Amino acid sequence: MSAIELSKVSKTYRRYSARRFATLKSALLGRSLLRELQPDETLMALKDVSFRVAKGSAFGVIGRNGSGKSTALKLVAGITKPTSGTVRVDGRVSALIELGAGFHPEISGRENVFINGIMLGLSKREIEKRFDDIVDFAELRDFIDAPVKTYSSGMYMRLGFAVAINVNPDVLLVDEVLAVGDEAFTHKCLDKFRDFRQRGKTVLLVTHSLGLVERLCDEAVWLESGEKQADGDSKRVVDAYLTAVDRSEERSLAASAGAARYSSPAPAANMFHASEGRWGSGEVEITAVALLGQSGEPSFVFHTGDSMSIRLSVRAAQPTSDFVFGVGLFNADGVCCFGTNTELEQRQPYLLAGEADVTFVIDSLDLVEGTYKLDVAVHKRDGAPYDYHRLLYTFRVASRSRDVGIFRPRYHWTFSSNVRFR
């Protein structure tokens, strides 16, 4: 049985320019009334979207900013109506959609609790019975009689959530507001979600926290530019969304990867302190740089633990026996994660002539999630550069683990029998 059902739902918004007629008389005399009332643009927030949410389940809505997530939630809440299609909701709905929505800033938290409770369908007597539970859950006993305009964003969220869950709704709608709560209160909210599900209530959650969707939600829907891309098992939908994000990042990084041009010589003797650019004598030239994934295809997005190959196409104007190839990996803060060259590895140069390929293979890219830059160079053994490319190539490392730092070694935990986790 469905608690929520959207069937072929579309929602269109109309945008008008600031240029409007001054008075009705001037519009009639200028015969511009109908023209002025025409919208300049129509925006399709949702396009023919359908999905169902089973009773007693937690359902996630994911997607980029502007994908239509909040519009879908407002349709379910009854705040706005669909342009076409039908929205059906079974039971009492409580919505926590925008931070402070429904609160009047000039009156106290106590008065706002009563106003919000009445708006959500409770009688004054019912609110009085639940008032202490609301205040205690929100942890605002000392501030409940202060005007809510003096509340922090976290206090706003705690009070709004406490009211929303204590009106005993059949369907709870939550839109990203948990992001402003502290860690302890967020855990209280998640415990409350689980309690809701055990009591057969339904939770519809809009969030950018994909880990939360995987942990909490039975199913999810992914929206993109107002259209449904996938729905079903939450882990499967999240995987499909992350794959699309990776592809989008690939396209973005590929579009920004232009040909490296020579600039002024490096201003610093230490290359780690040099700014982005390209310099050198050009006697040996790096004509192309390619980052290759595990399949051997060009790639700009890798996952922690993947292999990565850096292929340099080089050209020597004259045969030479004095050459060194080097690479360096840097994080977004400019910290060197790793660097090496053929001289450090005690490879004795013998001959470089004409055009050649040089490939540096990283068997396991054990870096944490983030954006990284690449140095590549060919220079003489005394360090004089033939062609130095400084921070000219960008790639992303994606990971489902939320580690910190730079390096992610292979590891595991062991615990004695008296150490336990839920």
Side-chain angles (χ1 to χ4, degrees), residues 7-27:
S7 179
K8 297 186 178 300
V9 169
S10 295
K11 178 63 180 179
T12 303
Y13 291 102
R14 295 174 176 83
R15 190 172 68 85
Y16 297 87
S17 68
R19 179 181 56 83
R20 305 303 298 272
F21 49 81
T23 64
L24 179 60
K25 179 180 178 181
S26 65

Side-chain angles (χ1 to χ4, degrees), residues 88-150:
R88 187 186 65 80
V89 183
D90 187 11
R92 173 187 280 174
V93 175
S94 183
L96 193 58
I97 289 182
E98 293 179 4
L99 193 62
F103 287 163
H104 194 294
E106 299 296 334
I107 62 178
S108 69
R110 181 185 300 273
E111 293 167 307
N112 271 293
V113 168
F114 278 88
I115 292 172
N116 268 260
I118 290 169
M119 289 171 61
L120 291 170
L122 297 182
S123 66
K124 184 176 180 181
R125 179 170 295 180
E126 287 176 311
I127 300 170
E128 288 173 343
K129 288 169 59 177
R130 303 176 192 187
F131 182 79
D132 287 338
D133 291 336
I134 292 171
V135 176
D136 290 340
F137 190 91
E139 303 169 4
L140 290 174
R141 179 67 63 180
D142 295 336
F143 306 97
I144 195 63
D145 291 310
V148 298
K149 69 180 180 181
T150 65

